Structure formats: structure tokens, C-alpha cells
């Protein structure tokens, strides 16, 4: 895994959901610990693949935000050495991977979300840990594969290092899939190759999207949706804190998208069409497809 130096040092991975869409498997293990097989043929938990994506972008420290009841599972994987009996059984080349896991584990910080009150609330739980720095935000059930020499996460980090503003990774999505996506609108900036965002909204209906979310240069039935990677300034925590204090909920929870739109209005925000693929492992069929396709 190639590492680079970065101005952005920290990443946050919310992993505190109940995983109800993957029940009953999630009664046994947190969905972020479900297995995936990478291109090298190595079986690993999804959370490790996400952590490796972060490290490839130059991230030095990673916070995983989880439920208190799941904390031990993540601590066990990242922090607990193999038992002597287990270590004796593995093959010589796997012993090198044991040392690698120990190195990754030193970067991992386990935080807890005391109540499950939405994605925005989970992000807010990392406020004190992040402090006053910009940070990379990654989803706990998405894995990424770049079509460039640098990773998808690194592409987004480089945007922030270039423009100094929050940025969202985006991708082109057909109209019939908008109902389950975060969506953005804006205008292209030829000089930067980025989109100056004019709106960030969650799961818009198609009529609204056609009226308000069209982006010049896209086909009539195509829209820009959130890829699952965000690079945010710490101002997002002030916004989330105020929303929590005011009880500002959408669909009964503290939503990140609401705060992103507020952040965009305050500071401006860019969209970056990332060159790569995002694999959603959060529902049964897409998890199965991700296991099948991620290694290809």
C-alpha cells in the first residue's frame, strides 16, 4: 500500500448503525466486519478495506464511531494480538500480515455513539477527536476502487489541498435511482474541473430533481449524486451541534445532508467527479454484488 503525505491528517468512519437491512447476520457481527476479498485474494473485514483507503490518501489517524455494544468487536480486531495458538497455525507469509495489522491498528481510534440518532449525530460524536482540522469522512459500509493510479480518497484530499474548501465526491446516477441517493447541483468551473455546488439535498423526488437539480452537460435523465466520500471543514461540527440543540431532524434523525447544505451556504462547497467505483455493502444484494465485483 503506497502512502503519501497530506495536509489532511484525520478520517472519520461512522459505524454505529444497527445494520437492520442485513439482519439476522448483524445479530452475530457488525456489518462493517463482514468479509470482502481484495484483488490480492486476501479476505478482510470491510472496515479494514476502508481504513486502507484512508491511509492511501495520506491519513495518519482514523476514528471509527460505533455503538458501545459493538466496540469490543472493533477493539478485538484492531487492537488485540493473535493468541499464541492462532499465531502458531498461520503460514509464514501471513505472519507478515499480522505485523501489518498491528501497524494499521496503531492508527485506529474507537469512539462511541451513545444513542443512534442518525448519520449526522454519529459524525458529531467525533467533534472533540477531530478538533479544528479538516477531515475525511467515509461511510462504514462503502468500499472504493479507483480507475487512476491514486485512490478515490486521495483524489478528494487533493481537491481540498488545492481549493481549501469542503468537497464532496460525486458520481453520475440515472434518474430512476435518485430515490435512495444524496443529490447535488451546481455549475462546472472549467479552470478547476470542479463543480461549485448550489444545493445538497437528500433523496429528492424526480419532479424536484428535474426542476432544481439539473447540471449542465449531463444527459437529461442523469444527475450528480454523492459518491460516499466527503472532505469537510470543522465548521460542520458547529452546525451539527446547533441542529442537535434545536432538535432539527429529518425523517426522525439528525441528518448529515441537512448540515452539509448549511455548511455550503456558509462557506461554499465543491463537488468532484471521482474516477473510480463505489461498492455499497449495506444491503444483502448489493453486498453480494460487491463481494463478487470488488476483486475483478
Amino acid at each position: 500500500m503506497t502512502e503519501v503525505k497530506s495536509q489532511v491528517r484525520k478520517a472519520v468512519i461512522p459505524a454505529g448503525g444497527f445494520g437492520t437491512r442485513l439482519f439476522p447476520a448483524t445479530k452475530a457481527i457488525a456489518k462493517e466486519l463482514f468479509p470482502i476479498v481484495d484483488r490480492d485474494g486476501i479476505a478482510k473485514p470491510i472496515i479494514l478495506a476502508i481504513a486502507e483507503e484512508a491511509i492511501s490518501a495520506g491519513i495518519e489517524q482514523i476514528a471509527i464511531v460505533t455503538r458501545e455494544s459493538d466496540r469490543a468487536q472493533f477493539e478485538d480486531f484492531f487492537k488485540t494480538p493473535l493468541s499464541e495458538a492462532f499465531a502458531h497455525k498461520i503460514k509464514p507469509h501471513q505472519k507478515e500480515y499480522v505485523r501489518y495489522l498491528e501497524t494499521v491498528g496503531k492508527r485506529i481510534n474507537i469512539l462511541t455513539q451513545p444513542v443512534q440518532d442518525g448519520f449526522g449525530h454519529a459524525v458529531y460524536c467525533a467533534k472533540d477527536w477531530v478538533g479544528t482540522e479538516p477531515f475525511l469522512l467515509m461511510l462504514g459500509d462503502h468500499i472504493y476502487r479507483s480507475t487512476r493510479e491514486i485512490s478515490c480518497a486521495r483524489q478528494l484530499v487533493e481537491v481540498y489541498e488545492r481549493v481549501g474548501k469542503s468537497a464532496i465526491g460525486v458520481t453520475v446516477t440515472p434518474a430512476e435511482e435518485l430515490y435512495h441517493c444524496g443529490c447535488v447541483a451546481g455549475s462546472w468551473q472549467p479552470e478547476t474541473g470542479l463543480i461549485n455546488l448550489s444545493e445538497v439535498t437528500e433523496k429528492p423526488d424526480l419532479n424536484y430533481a428535474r426542476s432544481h437539480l439539473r447540471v449542465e452537460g449531463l444527459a437529461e435523465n442523469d444527475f450528480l449524486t454523492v459518491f460516499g466520500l466527503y472532505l469537510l471543514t470543522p465548521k460542520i461540527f458547529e452546525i451539527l451541534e446547533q441542529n442537535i440543540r434545536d432538535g432539527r431532524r429529518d425523517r426522525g434523525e439528525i441528518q448529515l445532508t441537512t448540515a452539509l447544505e448549511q455548511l455550503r451556504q456558509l462557506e461554499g462547497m465543491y463537488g468532484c467527479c471521482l474516477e473510480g467505483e463505489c461498492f455499497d455493502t449495506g444491503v444483502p444484494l448489493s453486498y453480494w454484488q460487491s463481494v463478487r465485483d470488488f476483486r475483478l
Side-chain angles (χ1 to χ4, degrees):
M1 180 174 54
T2 302
E3 291 191 39
V4 293
K5 292 293 184 181
S6 175
Q7 297 174 17
V8 182
R9 302 188 312 113
K10 294 183 176 182
V12 174
I13 308 171
F18 288 103
T20 54
R21 292 177 296 180
L22 288 165
F23 180 84
T26 44
K27 188 175 186 298
I29 188 172
K31 61 184 171 63
E32 295 82 8
L33 294 170
F34 280 21
I36 199 82
V37 178
D38 68 14
R39 282 180 163 177
D40 295 325
I42 297 173
K44 61 183 64 172
I46 289 166
I47 194 68
L48 177 57
I50 301 170
E52 290 173 331
E53 178 81 15
I55 293 169
S56 75
I59 298 300
E60 299 172 12
Q61 290 293 316
I62 300 164
I64 299 171
V65 183
T66 187
R67 291 185 292 159
E68 184 62 46
S69 59
D70 287 340
R71 182 185 184 107
Q73 295 183 50
F74 293 94
E75 292 276 6
D76 184 58
F77 178 75
F78 283 111
K79 303 294 186 180
T80 303
L82 287 182
S83 68
E84 184 175 341
F86 195 159
H88 180 71
K89 289 288 186 180
I90 62 176
K91 297 178 180 179
H93 73 276
Q94 292 175 312
K95 294 184 187 296
E96 296 181 11
Y97 210 85
V98 170
R99 290 188 286 272
Y100 164 72
L101 286 177
E102 291 173 351
T103 300
V104 174
K106 291 176 182 178
R107 300 175 186 253
I108 301 297
N109 303 266
I110 311 297
L111 310 179
T112 53
Q113 183 183 12
V115 293
Q116 278 50 63
D117 200 10
F119 184 31
H121 183 269
V123 174
Y124 178 73
C125 291
K127 174 180 181 291
D128 292 341
W129 181 81
V130 171
T132 59
E133 302 181 42
F135 67 101
L136 178 67
L137 175 63
M138 313 173 79
L139 301 183
D141 54 10
H142 284 53
I143 50 178
Y144 314 93
R145 185 173 66 206
S146 178
T147 55
R148 292 177 53 186
E149 291 184 0
I150 62 173
S151 68
C152 294
R154 182 61 197 167
Q155 292 174 45
L156 193 60
V157 168
E158 288 185 353
V159 169
Y160 178 82
E161 292 176 344
R162 187 153 46 99
V163 301
K165 287 189 177 183
S166 294
I168 300 177
V170 297
T171 188
V172 178
T173 298
E176 59 268 22
E177 296 182 20
L178 286 187
Y179 70 94
H180 62 81
C181 297
C183 195
V184 304
S187 55
W188 294 97
Q189 291 193 324
E191 66 275 15
T192 64
L194 303 175
I195 305 127
N196 188 8
L197 297 184
S198 59
E199 184 170 353
V200 183
T201 189
E202 183 71 15
K203 301 176 183 175
D205 65 52
L206 192 51
N207 288 334
Y208 183 88
R210 292 193 191 282
S211 298
H212 298 89
L213 303 174
R214 299 286 304 122
V215 176
E216 185 179 356
L218 296 186
E220 182 179 355
N221 284 317
D222 285 345
F223 296 86
L224 290 180
T225 59
V226 176
F227 188 81
L229 289 170
Y230 313 77
L231 201 299
L232 303 176
T233 68
K235 184 72 174 178
I236 193 71
F237 294 116
E238 295 179 30
I239 296 169
L240 287 167
E241 184 171 43
Q242 188 65 50
N243 289 352
I244 292 169
R245 187 181 299 122
D246 295 344
R248 184 170 181 173
R249 286 174 164 78
D250 184 15
R251 296 180 300 282
E253 295 183 325
I254 302 297
Q255 299 291 347
L256 179 68
T257 303
T258 304
L260 289 175
E261 173 59 15
Q262 294 169 278
L263 180 65
R264 183 200 65 78
Q265 294 176 21
L266 287 172
E267 295 186 342
M269 185 177 292
Y270 288 101
C272 173
C273 283
L274 299 178
E275 297 178 55
E277 296 178 86
C278 176
F279 298 87
D280 182 355
T281 65
V283 296
L285 284 180
S286 63
Y287 170 67
W288 174 78
Q289 290 171 341
S290 298
V291 171
R292 182 192 65 186
D293 297 341
F294 184 61
R295 195 186 171 195
L296 298 178

